[in-house]
Amino acid sequence: MTARLPLAGAAAVRRWMWRTLLVHRRRFATMMLLFCLATLVGLVGPQVLGFLVDSVLTGTTTGRVDLLAGAFLAVLATQALLVRAARLRAAMLGEHLLAESREGMVSHALRLPLGTVEAAGTGDLLSRATTDVDRLDYTVRNAVPEITTALITVALTGTAMVFTSPPLACGMLVAVPLMVFSTRWYYPRSLPTIQRVMANWAEVQSSMHESVEGARTVAALRLAERRVARNEQALGRAVAAERRHRFLLSMWLPCLELSYVLPIAAILLIGGWAYQAGLAELGTIITVVLYAQAMANPFDELFMWLEELQVGHTALQRILGVREVPAADDARRAASTDGQCDLVLRDVRFSYRPDQEILHGIDLTVPVGQRLVIVGPSGAGKSTLGRLIAGISRPDSGSVAFGSTEVTGLPTEALRREVVLLTQEHHVFACTLRDNLALPDHEPTDDDLTDALKAVGLLDWVAALPDGLGTVLGSGGHPVPAARAQQLALARVLLADPHTVVLDEATSLLDNATSRELERSVSTLLSGRTVIAIAHRLHTARNADQVAVMSDGRIVELGSHAELLAAEGSYARLYRVAQPS
């Protein structure tokens, strides 16, 4: 069952903006000062050009014309340099915010309950940590300074127009009704549409990511057509939202373009009358027309960047929305499991969907330090039970506890330190082998790493690596076969040193001989710890203290390997079928 992560509210967005402004106030002030200076210098250009026209009409020397032309070029060059410096400062500020936003979001996501992360889906988190952070960076780097510059330009240009000729400046008023009414129609409709667009594209990314990750499973179960249909549905919803957004733009943008043209026509009409009446000189009219043309561009930039500001605002809501989900440590008391207590499950029931219960009243006791192997057919609920024991999911009812401590009542750090779940899915990080192994422990020695590698049978493989423990693995580095990745994951478990380990098909990618040898080595090293092993190879169960046989979400048999064989029940039949003839 999937669940969407929330969007942050307006108050959370305002707090983030205010806090960010305070932290980066010097960078922001420098950036805005440069943009303001560039705008002020830009306003000098039309004035110089107006003086030049009036000078030519009234008669002047060549030297004065050259001086005014040179001054005009100097104004343009100075403005260009100031704009370049301002954009550089904006880029630097954007990079700081990009790093802080991404690091902050990922840091909080790593502290979320694992069940919440899995319910939300990796695609949603990925889109928020990548696409949405990039959008926020783009907005801060471009939209914020552009909008501010446009507002300053409009205000100062309008003031300059009034100062130059109040009657001619009145021509700008004809644009106000069209601009105001079209914008008030557009923005209330665009914000929810943009939110749907971004949410739908996140769903597309999530669906594609799941399809790629589960490609082998999809192929094995012949579900390709169903998966393609699901992806097409997600893409169709995203395209429909995009079309709605484009429709709104197609209605709004022509109104804006018309509102830029009408003032110029009005100023020319007023200017023609004023020139004939001797109330305005030609240079004054040209200056005001140039100002009107100059205002069209900042107005256009203002409204276009306001559109981008909405996108950035929604992206910020999605980023901050991750932080709205309480981290596991925030909601749980500072408890710790007792490694000397039995693991006890009482009447545990669980369902991924309200109408489809997966586990039906599981009762089970695993004495401390014992090894329990859970076997059964596919879909029996073995992995689900392992997730409950590891605290990733919370039972709908019943109790999963070590002594008196509920597993789901533990702080995340304590839970992950004391109870480790190892599944078939393993990740090799793009860093050195040493760093890959050091994840559970920040300060292991090379001797500790070597001992762990020896225990999982990887010493020969490491010896063949070009730089030994310093070899870079993963994307862009030395390739790691899937079977080796499983062994690396087991080495991490040994380094983590938990008191309880849940192994969910942890050696499924290894051949039988290697799997048996590895399991013997790991069993020796995990001696004294509680081990829950979910297995499809029944040889794993021979040396277990207890074997639990699951079927249809229930434990149908429980006992030692010898006891279950003697009982001639489900386990005995499965074991005989698994033995070579």
Side-chain angles (χ1 to χ4, degrees), residues 78-155:
T78 303
Q79 184 185 24
L81 291 174
L82 288 171
V83 168
R84 182 181 181 280
R87 290 189 181 280
L88 178 61
R89 291 287 180 175
M92 293 169 63
L93 176 60
E95 288 298 322
H96 280 286
L97 295 182
L98 175 67
E100 290 175 5
S101 300
R102 184 164 289 158
E103 290 171 3
M105 197 203 112
V106 172
S107 176
H108 187 82
L110 291 175
R111 294 172 51 235
L112 293 177
L114 294 180
T116 301
V117 174
E118 293 198 354
T122 52
D124 192 9
L125 278 171
L126 282 174
S127 66
R128 293 182 188 228
T130 55
T131 305
D132 292 335
V133 173
D134 288 339
R135 284 169 172 158
L136 177 61
D137 168 56
Y138 185 77
T139 298
V140 172
R141 185 182 299 189
N142 296 284
V144 172
E146 292 290 351
I147 289 172
T148 306
T149 302
L151 288 172
I152 295 171
T153 302
V154 168

Side-chain angles (χ1 to χ4, degrees), residues 265-447:
I267 291 171
L268 289 174
L269 288 174
I270 297 173
W273 169 80
Y275 183 74
Q276 292 294 332
L279 300 176
E281 297 179 353
L282 187 59
T284 302
I285 298 173
I286 291 175
T287 300
V288 176
V289 169
L290 289 175
Y291 277 142
Q293 288 180 325
M295 286 186 73
N297 185 61
F299 266 124
D300 198 38
E301 292 287 326
L302 176 63
F303 287 115
M304 289 301 95
W305 285 111
L306 281 175
E307 172 77 10
E308 186 60 40
L309 189 63
Q310 282 192 313
V311 174
H313 180 270
T314 303
L316 181 57
Q317 284 183 301
R318 288 171 55 79
I319 293 167
L320 297 180
V322 176
R323 303 181 189 182
E324 296 286 308
V325 181
D329 289 350
D330 298 336
R332 297 175 178 173
R333 58 190 174 87
S336 177
T337 65
D338 187 347
Q340 302 304 313
C341 289
D342 297 344
L343 170 63
V344 181
L345 287 78
R346 298 185 182 90
D347 193 26
V348 172
R349 298 178 180 275
F350 180 79
S351 58
Y352 291 103
R353 295 179 179 177
D355 57 340
Q356 296 181 3
E357 191 173 79
I358 304 300
L359 299 181
H360 315 288
I362 298 291
D363 290 303
L364 178 65
T365 298
V366 184
V368 61
Q370 284 201 4
R371 179 181 177 88
L372 169 72
V373 173
I374 304 175
V375 300
S378 177
K382 304 186 299 297
S383 295
T384 300
L385 182 58
R387 289 165 54 86
L388 293 178
I389 293 173
I392 292 176
S393 298
R394 182 186 296 271
D396 297 338
S397 63
S399 169
V400 180
F402 289 92
S404 60
T405 304
E406 287 288 335
V407 172
T408 52
L410 288 169
T412 299
E413 290 301 320
L415 179 63
R416 295 176 186 173
R417 182 176 60 250
E418 300 172 9
V419 183
V420 171
L421 170 67
L422 184 61
T423 69
Q424 303 174 61
E425 300 175 2
H426 313 297
H427 186 76
V428 177
F429 293 87
C431 58
T432 66
L433 172 58
R434 180 180 288 104
D435 290 337
N436 264 280
L437 290 174
L439 290 173
D441 184 350
H442 294 294
E443 297 181 357
T445 65
D446 283 359
D447 289 341

